[in-house]
Amino acid sequence: MPDFDAMARLIAYHDAINALDFATIEAMFADNAVYDSGGLGGVVEGRGPIMAGFRSYFDLYPDQVSEDTIIEAVGERAIRSVWKLVATHRLTGEKLIRAGEEIVTFNHAGMIVRVEVIDHSI
């Protein structure tokens, strides 16, 4: 059994994303984490490249509003969330509307080691 509450860690991770708190987001990822998002660029490996992706994305979509509709444990240290989001492209004004799910997996210390994002058709 983990020494941390994986559900609470996922909620804290999503709260940090919604607040654009990059320092907190970065501190939650293990050095060798993997972020797999087919809808936004594929597989990214390592905390530094993952954070560069976050910063680049939120530079273009700084007003993103995301909401979880389901959060559930799918393993001892893995949490699945179903979400929807709306954001506006900073340069074009085009709306981005996405929905999907992600599975966030933590190591024994509560650090994120993998995020798998699956986009759903809207």
Side-chain angles (χ1 to χ4, degrees):
M1 184 156 209
D3 293 338
F4 64 95
D5 181 339
M7 187 81 64
R9 291 286 288 171
L10 176 86
I11 291 167
Y13 168 61
H14 286 179
D15 287 348
I17 292 171
N18 284 333
L20 300 182
D21 182 349
F22 294 116
T24 297
I25 297 167
E26 185 168 2
M28 297 185 87
F29 278 96
D31 288 337
N32 62 345
V34 174
Y35 196 99
D36 183 354
S37 178
L40 292 176
V43 177
V44 179
E45 296 184 33
R47 179 189 297 141
I50 290 169
M51 291 309 301
F54 268 91
R55 286 183 173 91
S56 176
Y57 172 83
F58 284 108
D59 180 55
L60 291 176
Y61 295 99
D63 70 342
Q64 175 179 293
V65 176
S66 181
E67 178 184 356
D68 291 319
T69 57
I70 298 171
I71 300 176
E72 63 186 359
V74 292
E76 184 179 347
R77 295 189 304 254
I79 305 294
R80 174 181 171 261
S81 67
V82 177
W83 48 265
K84 58 184 176 182
L85 67 81
V86 177
T88 309
H89 193 285
R90 179 178 58 82
L91 301 175
T92 67
E94 184 177 333
K95 285 285 185 194
L96 173 67
I97 301 171
R98 291 178 62 205
E101 63 186 274
E102 71 179 5
I103 297 174
V104 178
T105 305
F106 300 91
N107 65 17
H108 67 282
M111 303 289 289
I112 297 170
V113 293
R114 182 171 183 80
V115 178
E116 182 180 0
V117 179
I118 302 158
D119 279 89
H120 293 172
S121 297
I122 297 179

